[in-house]
Amino acid sequence: MSYFEKIQKTTLKEEPIIMAIETSCDETAVAIVKNGREILADEIISSATEHAKFGGVVPEIASRTHTTAILTATENALKSAKLTLDDIDAFAVTEGAGLLGALLVGVSFAKSLAFSLDKPLVPVSHIKGHISAAYLADKSLEPPFITILASGGHTAIVAVEDYYNINVLGSTIDDAVGEAFDKVARVLGLSYPGGPNVEKLAKDGQNVISLPKMLKNYDGGEYDFSYSGLKTAVINYVHTQESKGLEVKKEDVAASFQHSAIDVLIEKAIKAAEQFNYKTIAISGGVGANGYLREALKKAAESKGFKLILPEKRYCTDNAAMIGAEGYLQYKKRNFADLTLNAKAVVPLK
Ligand code: KG4
Ligand code: ZN
């Protein structure tokens, strides 16, 4: 009997223990999650400092670091959960979206574990993983809810209808919000990763520079975003000031940009929850770690009576626990892959 034939006969565990592997970008992450909600181990080895020298992620360095870090991360995860590989019921892995070479390390590693132990291999979408981090933050959370998906590659207001169906109410028509943070960081001379550094600088600044309100003349979807104009406005402001020999108060630029970039996310999420009668709002993706977003959303949600799900900052940025949370849902549906599973640079958001 082939591996896949055996796997299809697997009896599902009531409370499965899933090892989750995430290598889509510059974090080599391995987590062990019980029942989709309880984190038994959560290891992250980041190569961010390596990339910082180059001002952004260098795919080749990311892939190479994954190959050396993945075994250590796995051993550390098992050790901290006090488990052995025999205790693992399934292996979930990010199949995409992300850097192909980086993803391939995780996919090949998960495949070999699943194959050698005759356990299911569960492919997971990175973005669905970000959304499912909400289930780790509130163990009793059930859909429906609205989530603000704000990462380096995506910006969207998403209605999570049930565990398996999402409805994208609107998304960015150009840059993602995290991408805008990263580009503004570069203009301000801040190092990679840009988002946290812009946030840090903004703490000493004021929202005093007038930047364009987004999508002023755009007649598309009510929940869509555009970050390209805001980014250009920041670049133009800095260049104009410099060419006139005027001071650029970088702290104020950072604070003003942060307000413009974040306020619109909050406005649209609240509006969507009100219009479609959702009671709960969550955040997902790396920008969800932004302190200003967290504070402002908390205030806005509380004043309107919405329940707020704020995953810990560590579970907003890339991690493997979120892949375990989403992997659990896919496991329950028996969405198992065979050994032809391949990495995907792009996975549609649906
Ligand atoms: O979700 P994530 O870790 O990776 C992707 O799937 O893209 O998101 C990374 C993005 C980067 O653009 C990074 O600059 C941004 O999230 N980010 C932040 C903060 N932490 C990470 N942006 C603003 N403030 C932060 N504290
Ligand atoms: Zn991510």
Side-chain angles (χ1 to χ4, degrees):
M1 211 188 311
S2 74
Y3 159 77
F4 199 53
E5 282 166 342
K6 276 189 255 177
I7 291 313
Q8 282 172 318
K9 293 197 165 71
T10 306
T11 312
L12 291 189
K13 288 275 172 66
E14 213 23 67
E15 298 206 320
I17 294 177
I18 295 183
M19 175 174 277
I21 295 162
E22 152 66 42
T23 62
S24 68
C25 194
D26 58 345
E27 266 96 26
T28 314
V30 177
I32 302 175
V33 177
K34 187 176 173 189
N35 221 12
R37 303 267 178 167
E38 193 188 335
I39 301 168
L40 304 181
D42 172 31
E43 296 294 322
I44 299 181
I45 298 174
S46 174
S47 58
T49 49
E50 286 297 306
H51 304 290
K53 296 175 210 157
F54 302 95
V57 176
V58 182
E60 182 55 36
I61 295 179
S63 314
R64 213 176 320 133
T65 316
H66 288 316
T67 58
T68 53
I70 199 154
L71 203 56
T72 312
T74 305
E75 284 169 351
N76 290 351
L78 287 167
K79 213 179 288 170
S80 83
K82 298 192 175 62
L83 296 174
T84 69
L85 280 175
D86 288 335
D87 299 313
I88 305 297
D89 297 310
F91 295 90
V93 63
T94 305
E95 62 168 336
L99 303 169
L100 265 186
L103 287 162
L104 269 172
V105 178
V107 168
S108 321
F109 189 72
K111 259 191 215 178
S112 38
L113 284 172
F115 176 67
S116 58
L117 296 161
D118 273 334
K119 302 278 172 74
L121 174 66
V122 184
V124 172
S125 143
H126 181 81
I127 291 299
K128 288 276 191 69
H130 271 304
I131 293 172
S132 289
Y135 301 124
L136 301 168
D138 180 339
K139 293 195 182 6
S140 60
L141 174 67
E142 284 178 23
F145 59 91
I146 292 282
T147 191
I148 303 174
L149 173 59
S151 72
H154 286 84
T155 306
I157 301 293
V158 177
V160 180
E161 314 281 15
D162 58 41
Y163 287 115
Y164 297 99
N165 291 295
I166 62 169
N167 183 10
V168 180
L169 300 175
S171 58
T172 182
I173 58 164
D174 40 54
D175 294 353
V177 59
E179 200 181 345
F181 265 91
D182 295 337
K183 285 181 181 160
V184 165
R186 217 167 296 159
V187 174
L188 296 178
L190 302 172
S191 64
Y192 173 85
N197 288 329
V198 170
E199 179 184 356
K200 216 179 285 166
L201 191 66
K203 287 207 174 91
D204 297 322
Q206 311 264 344
N207 175 22
V208 288
I209 300 164
S210 156
L211 293 169
K213 188 104 177 130
M214 260 180 281
L215 292 181
K216 211 173 176 185
N217 303 312
Y218 174 66
D219 57 3
E222 170 169 27
Y223 296 108
D224 285 342
F225 300 92
S226 165
Y227 280 99
S228 154
L230 176 61
K231 171 198 71 189
T232 309
V234 172
I235 295 171
N236 287 345
Y237 171 81
V238 172
H239 288 170
T240 308
Q241 291 292 101
E242 281 172 352
S243 68
K244 288 183 185 162
L246 297 171
E247 185 201 8
V248 177
K249 197 153 179 252
K250 290 185 176 179
E251 294 82 353
D252 288 348
V253 177
S256 306
F257 162 75
Q258 184 170 258
H259 267 81
S260 289
I262 299 286
D263 290 351
V264 65
L265 288 171
I266 297 173
E267 259 167 49
K268 292 197 186 213
I270 299 274
K271 195 167 165 193
E274 281 175 335
Q275 181 177 352
F276 300 110
N277 207 17
Y278 286 82
K279 306 274 181 278
T280 305
I281 300 176
I283 56 173
S284 43
V287 182
N290 183 277
Y292 170 69
L293 167 59
R294 298 170 77 89
E295 279 308 307
L297 181 62
K298 197 160 170 236
K299 253 184 236 153
E302 274 170 8
S303 74
K304 301 264 184 180
F306 292 111
K307 183 176 172 182
L308 181 61
I309 308 291
L310 278 182
E312 274 177 48
K313 293 183 182 184
R314 174 183 179 87
Y315 300 119
C316 290
T317 49
D318 288 349
N319 67 89
M322 69 184 197
I323 303 302
E326 175 63 19
Y328 164 82
L329 299 176
Q330 299 304 326
Y331 171 92
K332 286 282 172 186
K333 273 217 154 179
R334 304 187 72 93
N335 281 337
F336 303 153
D338 63 24
L339 296 173
T340 63
L341 178 68
N342 210 345
K344 296 169 182 67
V346 179
V347 173
L349 179 60
K350 60 174 178 13

